[in-house]
């Protein structure tokens, strides 16, 4: 599964496991547990269950090396992020980005760095689309 448009629903816990594999793969379940435990406590069995679910959903692949399984993502972080962003904006803002940004601006949630990055993105878009 390399096409993000075919992405199944992924729970928050499954996303955490996938994110740990985007940090570096292939990785064993023990390596994934260690990465996750740097943020909060995870049990080995929980992580193995989540790895199995992600394999069944076609989001992770694996190969067996001796007595261990090495897991790797079948979807790039950028592809997943793009699809999730599109779904989020479509669902909550009817496909319009301006109301989302306005919501952050009205709640004083935008830093100067955020505004500078948005301005740079707009300027690049204008240069590319004129």
């Amino acid at each position: 599964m390399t096409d993000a448009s075919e992405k199944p629903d992924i729970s928050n816990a499954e996303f955490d496991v996938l994110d740990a594999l985007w940090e570096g793969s292939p990785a064993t379940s023990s390596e994934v547990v260690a990465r996750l435990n740097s943020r909060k406590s995870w049990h080995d069995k929980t992580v193995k269950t989540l790895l199995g679910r992600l394999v069944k959903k076609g989001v992770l692949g694996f190969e067996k090396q001796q007595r261990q399984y090495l897991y790797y993502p079948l979807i790039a972080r950028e592809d997943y992020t793009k699809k999730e962003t599109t779904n989020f904006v479509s669902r909550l803002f009817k496909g319009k980005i301006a109301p989302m940004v306005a919501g952050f601006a009205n709640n004083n949630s935008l830093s100067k760095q955020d505004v500078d990055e948005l301005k740079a993105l707009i300027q690049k878009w204008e240069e590319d689309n004129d």
Side-chain angles (χ1 to χ4, degrees):
M1 173 188 175
T2 54
D3 184 3
S5 65
E6 299 171 12
K7 173 200 69 67
D9 287 334
I10 295 175
S11 72
N12 289 339
E14 291 168 341
F15 178 81
D16 288 342
V17 170
L18 182 57
D19 193 41
L21 283 163
W22 281 326
E23 288 176 17
S25 64
T28 65
S29 61
S30 298
E31 291 168 330
V32 173
V33 169
R35 289 177 194 165
L36 292 169
N37 280 332
S38 69
R39 298 173 212 154
K40 64 180 181 182
S41 183
W42 288 76
H43 193 276
D44 283 358
K45 280 190 166 193
T46 302
V47 173
K48 287 179 181 177
T49 297
L50 294 169
L51 286 166
R53 284 186 197 165
L54 289 167
V55 167
K56 284 181 185 173
K57 290 181 177 186
V59 176
L60 294 183
F62 69 91
E63 57 185 60
K64 188 171 184 180
Q65 276 195 352
Q66 297 164 357
R67 296 179 53 164
Q68 292 186 325
Y69 289 93
L70 294 174
Y71 296 91
Y72 52 89
L74 294 175
I75 184 170
R77 181 191 305 265
E78 297 77 22
D79 293 338
Y80 181 83
T81 302
K82 188 183 300 182
K83 182 67 177 169
E84 282 296 299
T85 302
T86 301
N87 288 343
F88 176 77
V89 172
S90 268
R91 193 174 65 243
L92 295 179
F93 300 99
K94 298 182 181 172
K96 305 283 186 192
I97 294 174
M100 181 181 73
V101 175
F104 284 108
N106 291 336
N107 290 323
N108 295 320
S109 299
L110 294 177
S111 68
K112 172 139 178 43
Q113 181 179 352
D114 290 331
V115 172
D116 291 343
E117 290 174 9
L118 287 168
K119 285 179 183 177
L121 287 169
I122 291 168
Q123 183 178 3
K124 178 164 178 16
W125 183 89
E126 287 175 336
E127 290 168 3
D128 293 346
N129 291 288
D130 278 345

